[in-house]
Amino acid sequence: MNCPTCGALLNDNAKFCSSCGSSVLTEHIQNPNSNAATASETQAENHAYQQRMYQQPYGNSQIYYELLQKSNASKSNKTFKIIAAITTIIAVIAIMLMLRISSVLLMEEEAYLQQIDDYENQIDAYEDRNAVDKTIDAVDSWIDNFVE
C-alpha cells in the first residue's frame, strides 16, 4: 500500500504515513461503499492533522521530540523513585544503627553504675571492718589499761 499524499510505501495496517505524517484512509480505500459522511470526516481529520504538522517548526521531528521528552520524563521519574527508595533505606539503616548504639551505651552505663555500686559497697564494708577493728583496738587498749 502506498501513501495517498506522498506515495511512500507503507505497511498494510499503517494509519499514518511514516514519511509525511498524513493519515492513510484505509477504511475508505478498503470499503468504497462507506458513507460519504465518514469519508468527509476522515478527510477533515486528515486535513487538520496535516495543518498541525505543517504548523510545527520541524514537522515530524517535533513529534519525535515530544515522544523523547515523555520518555526522558519517564526515565527521570524512575530515577527519582530509585533515589527516594535508596535514601529511605539509608535512613532506616541509620536509625537502626543509632538505636543499637544507644542501647549498647545504655548497657555500658548500667554496667558502669553497677561497678560504682559494687565499689561503694566494698568501701562501706571496708569502713565497717575498719570501724570494728578500731572498736576492738579501743577495747583492747581499755582492757590493757584496766589490767595495769
Side-chain angles (χ1 to χ4, degrees), residues 99-126:
L99 289 174
R100 177 67 179 146
I101 289 170
S102 65
S103 68
V104 167
L105 290 175
L106 184 61
M107 289 187 326
E108 287 178 0
E109 180 183 10
E110 288 174 1
Y112 178 72
L113 292 175
Q114 183 62 42
Q115 285 179 347
I116 290 174
D117 286 343
D118 291 344
Y119 290 140
E120 287 176 351
N121 290 337
Q122 289 175 359
I123 290 170
D124 289 343
Y126 175 76

Side-chain angles (χ1 to χ4, degrees), residues 7-115:
L9 186 61
L10 303 174
N11 291 336
D12 289 337
N13 57 355
K15 293 184 181 181
F16 295 96
C17 177
S18 59
S19 296
C20 69
S22 67
S23 174
V24 179
L25 304 175
T26 56
E27 181 178 321
H28 181 67
I29 292 171
Q30 290 175 358
N31 188 4
N33 296 329
S34 65
N35 60 19
T38 305
S40 65
E41 288 174 4
T42 307
Q43 287 175 350
E45 290 173 6
N46 184 21
H47 181 69
Y49 178 79
Q50 285 179 352
Q51 282 182 337
R52 279 196 318 268
M53 287 301 297
Y54 292 123
Q55 288 173 356
Q56 299 292 332
Y58 300 107
N60 283 341
S61 64
Q62 182 66 26
I63 293 172
Y64 297 129
Y65 176 73
E66 290 173 3
L67 289 174
L68 183 64
Q69 281 182 328
K70 288 179 183 178
S71 173
N72 287 342
S74 172
K75 288 177 185 176
S76 68
N77 193 14
K78 256 186 206 178
T79 304
F80 174 75
K81 287 179 181 179
I82 290 171
I83 290 172
I86 290 171
T87 305
T88 303
I89 290 170
I90 290 172
V92 167
I93 290 172
I95 290 171
M96 290 173 58
L97 285 174
M98 288 186 337
L99 289 174
R100 177 67 179 146
I101 289 170
S102 65
S103 68
V104 167
L105 290 175
L106 184 61
M107 289 187 326
E108 287 178 0
E109 180 183 10
E110 288 174 1
Y112 178 72
L113 292 175
Q114 183 62 42
Q115 285 179 347

